[in-house]
Structures are given as C-alpha cells and as structure tokens.
Amino acid sequence: MTTVPYMRPPDPEFSYSVGDTVEVFCDHEKNGERVRGWLKGIVAQVDSKMVAVQFRSNVFLTDGWMVPDHILWYPVHSSSIRKPSKRPKQEIPFQEL
C-alpha cells in the first residue's frame, strides 16, 4: 500500500480505513420512505482528503437523485460522517422453558 505524504499526522478521530463501519447523515430509504438521518455504511475507499462509503439501502443526493452504486463521497473532516455511536447492549433476560 502506498503512503500519502502529509504535513502533520491525521487526527485519530478522523482516520478511516477500508472496511470500517461508519454512520453518515444522508437522505436514504427506510421502510419504503425517503428520510434524512444517520445511516450505517462501510468505508469502501479512503485517500488523504475523501472517504467513500457504501450502503446496502438506496441513498440520494441532496438534489433528489438516487445514487445507483449506493456509494457517497465525503471529505475526511465532514461533520456528516462519524464512527458508529456506542450504544450499550441490552441484555435479554434468560427464561427457562
């Protein structure tokens, strides 16, 4: 893998790798309706300035067009992309049969 020269090391908060799960604020389909909100996706490509995120559901550009390859590009420091929020796992109580 080739390295990209930089003036200062990247901020760990904004470092992404291919295969990382991220959340992106975008227009997408949920239950057959178009909504705007956070959607989980997988990082497909990263360079020094941009991050490509691929989704399993339909995503839309801000002007309304559906993206056929389900991939949206974001600047690395965008406020519309983040690491997944850490939600505590809900424990399911054990029930004897």
Side-chain angles (χ1 to χ4, degrees):
M1 185 167 143
T2 61
T3 59
V4 179
Y6 49 81
M7 299 292 286
R8 59 184 165 77
D11 185 352
E13 179 184 354
F14 297 107
S15 62
Y16 300 102
S17 299
V18 173
D20 285 351
T21 300
V22 294
E23 292 178 341
V24 171
F25 193 75
C26 63
D27 292 346
H28 60 279
E29 279 188 1
K30 185 174 183 178
N31 300 326
E33 292 188 33
R34 184 174 167 173
V35 296
R36 184 159 181 80
W38 291 98
L39 179 65
K40 282 191 178 182
I42 297 175
V43 175
Q45 186 174 339
V46 179
D47 64 24
S48 61
K49 296 181 181 179
M50 302 292 287
V51 178
V53 182
Q54 186 168 27
F55 306 93
R56 294 181 190 257
S57 62
N58 291 331
V59 290
F60 301 89
L61 300 175
T62 53
D63 61 358
W65 290 92
M66 186 178 73
V67 181
D69 59 1
H70 298 226
I71 295 177
L72 294 175
W73 285 85
Y74 289 89
V76 172
H77 297 290
S78 173
S79 62
S80 296
I81 184 172
R82 67 184 185 192
K83 302 277 184 173
S85 58
K86 306 247 180 188
R87 295 185 187 118
K89 292 184 180 180
Q90 294 179 348
E91 291 188 25
I92 300 172
F94 178 74
Q95 296 178 358
E96 288 190 30
L97 299 177

